[in-house]
Amino acid sequence: MRFISLGLFLASVTTIQGVAVPHTHVLHEKRDAAVLKRWVRREKLDSSAILPMRIGLTQKNLDLGHEFLMDVSHPDSSNYGKHWTSEQVIEAFSPEQKTVDTVTQWLVDFGIDPERITHSDNKGWLAFDATTEEAEGLLHAEYHLYEHTTMGHVAAACDSYHVPKHIQEHVDYITPGIKLLAPEKRGIKKRGFAMTQSKDRHGVGAPLRSNPGKFPVTTPGNLSTCDQSITPDCIRALYQVPLVPEYPGGIPRSDNSMGIYEEGDYYAQEDLDLFFANYTPHIPQGTHPTPAFIDGATAPTDVAHAGGESDLDFELAYPLLYPQTITLYQTDDLFYATNPNSTSTGGFNTFLDALDGSYCTYSAFGETGDDPNLDPVYPDPHGYTGKLQCGVYKPTNVISISYGGQEADVPAYYQKRQCNEFMKLGLQGHSIFYASGDDGVSGPNGDDNDNGCLGPNATIFSPAWPNSCPYVTNVGATKVYPGHTVFEPESAVVDPAGQPYSSAFSSGGGFSNIYHVPDYQRDAVESFFKNHNPPYPHYRGNSSFGKNGGVFNRAGRGYPDVAANGDNIATYNAGNFSSSGGTSASTPIFASIINRINEARLNVNKNPIGFINPALYAHPEILNDITNGTNPGCGTVGFSAAPGWDPVTGLGTPNYPKMLAFFLSLP
């Protein structure tokens, strides 16, 4: 999103597109000419056509959101753990009343009847229907139909629009306006079970990083062959996690279920029961997650159609948590989740809508509510016919998400809006964990370029989304190398194609092209560059993308933040044993451990940890530092694991006793 302020005009009247603009107005938005390469401007919009106008009002305190979050998240803060209520969050960031009144008066003075104007519940935007003639007069713009040259999509838009000088500071953006965005048929990529570039395999449950085999050589209680097959006992030994959590009275809390997100992939109860019977007989047959179905989602499925992602998530989390419970956030109906003809290419908005009703109408960064070009639209004539679900589920204290994509594939405004929501969830005491990706410093093959890298020569590293958001915790992947044991340090995953999975696998990591290094991470990143400087040219900031042959943004937010084992994982899928890998395995492991620690804090009348990154970066000694391995991609060996934080395994893997003692010591 690009804002161009002209300041004071040099002339009393300027002409844009043949539209006379009075000296009282300034240019608020103008489209970058590069966008028009794929669009053709067609006929002028009929003057009587009705346009659904939305004015995104400038939010207050967004620039203070980071400071607010650090105040309740940094262990040195006197307000640590004093999380906000959702009402406090809405009030803190809603527009000033002066903004609402000033913009409303502008509309009324123009001739828009006040009864036509709706103010959203979260106070973030004003809406009204207007004819094209009214919109053009209000904004001193000219509306045309635009057609996408390859996909045929048609949109109503203008090349630029203007607002009064005294209004500009109160308006984020206006739609329909300059935005032209055609959906691409590329779905969310599953970490560890990556999707093809279209949705033809979305949810089918055919994992690319699964290695079918005979019954595992590692049986319950046997730690001698964890280098061949990682079982729940191997994980507990690696991170010193007791078998069963201790609970007052022997009963887990009802307010500390762990959330797991799934989309287009469905677990089978038969697979969970097979896993429990063979590896965790203390977990009763039939144990299953509590459903939190969003916008027509369903689960479970029959064993023949079981998804490798969902089975893996639950088979890793339950052995670490039980008898704590798990809440399944299954998102979107079958049409949007699995249909290759669906044009939904974004991700997580319908999920965030269901957790926070105000998110449905939240305005920021040129986006209000869900994006009709990127997100599912409900009611859906092909599936779920109900309304979009808003604020129907209270978010769990911890949420594990093994899905994601690449920064370059999703508009920056879309990412920033979601990132703000993660900040607000952190303010309310929720911990959000994301898998860091399985392609090292690149994206999946075929994403942007054949090798998944960026730039005209396909040499620039491709950071992941929403991993680069500074308000989520990213989990990279480690493994027990052949011949090593769970009592020795792990290494970063480096699995070339065919050894053993069909596609190469290494822990996703790198530096954002959108977000700067957050203050809680600055010392760790600077230490990495000072002591372990990568042997690659770099650029500083997205404005100098690829300059002087640079292949990564040295000024960007680094990820992952932490790591956990993610290779040779013993799992049952579609009724058969297999060995799987991916950061999608690492994420529920780390998240489950934090959920257990939250239970201990709650039992001594303390609040959940919430946003965990500041505490981890301030006290890396509570983690197991990983110093061996790389994350290849883009024709390089990638970055290298090193003492301290690194963009391969972050700060390291869990050390449960140290983490538990540390977080219990905090207020």
Side-chain angles (χ1 to χ4, degrees), residues 142-416:
E142 191 171 276
Y143 280 87
H144 288 254
L145 286 176
Y146 291 78
E147 183 178 3
H148 195 271
T149 54
T150 58
M151 304 187 72
H153 298 290
V154 176
C158 57
D159 285 338
S160 63
Y161 64 88
H162 306 73
V163 297
K165 295 174 185 177
H166 73 285
I167 292 294
Q168 187 171 38
E169 65 177 299
H170 300 292
V171 173
D172 178 11
Y173 74 105
I174 298 174
T175 185
I178 68 167
K179 186 172 68 175
L180 291 172
L181 182 64
E184 300 175 2
K185 293 183 179 179
R186 179 185 292 134
I188 300 174
K189 298 159 188 70
K190 297 182 176 161
R191 303 306 195 193
F193 298 98
M195 308 317 300
T196 54
Q197 293 309 300
S198 66
K199 287 189 173 184
D200 59 325
R201 291 182 56 223
H202 202 152
V204 172
L208 292 180
R209 296 185 178 94
S210 179
N211 184 31
K214 299 178 181 179
F215 193 78
V217 293
T218 304
T219 54
N222 181 5
L223 301 180
S224 65
T225 50
C226 292
D227 59 332
Q228 300 173 53
S229 187
I230 293 288
T231 66
D233 287 311
C234 298
I235 296 170
R236 284 193 289 269
L238 280 167
Y239 307 131
Q240 303 178 58
V241 183
L243 176 61
V244 179
E246 294 183 3
Y247 302 105
I251 301 174
R253 301 180 65 94
S254 61
D255 59 352
N256 192 42
S257 181
M258 188 180 94
I260 291 181
Y261 169 100
E262 303 290 352
E263 201 265 355
D265 188 280
Y266 309 90
Y267 80 93
Q269 188 63 50
E270 293 92 332
D271 286 334
L272 301 193
D273 288 342
L274 275 170
F275 188 88
F276 298 153
N278 282 284
Y279 290 112
T280 55
H282 67 288
I283 300 179
Q285 296 286 287
T287 299
H288 64 274
T290 301
F293 295 153
I294 298 170
D295 298 329
T298 60
T301 188
D302 61 89
V303 70
H305 296 93
E309 181 64 67
S310 297
D311 280 353
L312 180 68
D313 286 338
F314 297 121
E315 290 168 10
L316 285 165
Y318 268 120
L320 291 171
L321 287 175
Y322 187 82
Q324 290 181 23
T325 61
I326 296 175
T327 296
L328 165 60
Y329 294 110
Q330 190 80 44
T331 304
D332 292 319
D333 65 16
L334 284 172
F335 174 76
Y336 283 114
T338 65
N339 193 316
N341 296 317
S342 163
T343 56
S344 169
T345 64
F348 312 116
N349 265 355
T350 54
F351 169 57
L352 294 173
D353 286 336
L355 300 187
D356 178 6
S358 70
Y359 187 76
C360 294
T361 53
Y362 169 59
S363 289
F365 307 108
E367 184 81 287
T368 293
D370 292 347
D371 191 313
N373 288 323
L374 293 173
D375 297 311
V377 177
Y378 298 108
D380 173 17
H382 307 286
Y384 172 63
T385 56
K387 292 183 178 179
L388 180 81
Q389 292 181 297
C390 296
V392 296
Y393 296 114
K394 184 181 186 300
T396 54
N397 297 326
V398 171
I399 300 176
S400 173
I401 305 175
S402 294
Y403 296 66
Q406 305 304 118
E407 268 191 352
D409 294 340
V410 189
Y413 66 79
Y414 186 94
Q415 298 179 54
K416 289 180 178 179

Side-chain angles (χ1 to χ4, degrees), residues 597 622 655-666:
I597 295 174
I622 64 176
N655 185 309
Y656 180 75
K658 290 183 178 180
M659 295 175 72
L660 178 64
F662 170 73
F663 283 110
L664 283 178
S665 74
L666 295 179

Side-chain angles (χ1 to χ4, degrees), residues 55-73:
I55 299 178
L57 302 174
T58 303
Q59 307 280 300
K60 70 173 183 285
N61 295 328
L62 281 180
D63 58 327
L64 299 177
H66 179 84
E67 182 180 335
F68 292 155
L69 182 58
M70 294 305 105
D71 187 46
V72 298
S73 304

Side-chain angles (χ1 to χ4, degrees), residues 80-151:
Y80 178 84
K82 297 179 181 179
H83 302 123
W84 296 18
T85 66
S86 59
E87 292 77 15
Q88 288 174 318
V89 169
I90 291 174
E91 180 58 32
F93 297 104
S94 63
E96 298 279 4
Q97 189 59 45
K98 177 183 178 182
T99 290
V100 179
D101 294 343
T102 301
V103 177
T104 300
Q105 192 61 50
W106 167 49
L107 298 177
V108 172
D109 290 345
F110 178 78
I112 305 296
D113 191 309
E115 294 186 359
R116 294 168 56 188
I117 304 171
T118 299
H119 189 194
S120 66
D121 291 341
N122 77 330
K123 307 177 183 179
W125 51 268
L126 298 176
F128 59 96
D129 291 341
T131 64
T132 301
E133 183 178 16
E134 286 178 315
E136 290 182 337
L138 178 71
L139 301 175
H140 298 281
E142 191 171 276
Y143 280 87
H144 288 254
L145 286 176
Y146 291 78
E147 183 178 3
H148 195 271
T149 54
T150 58
M151 304 187 72

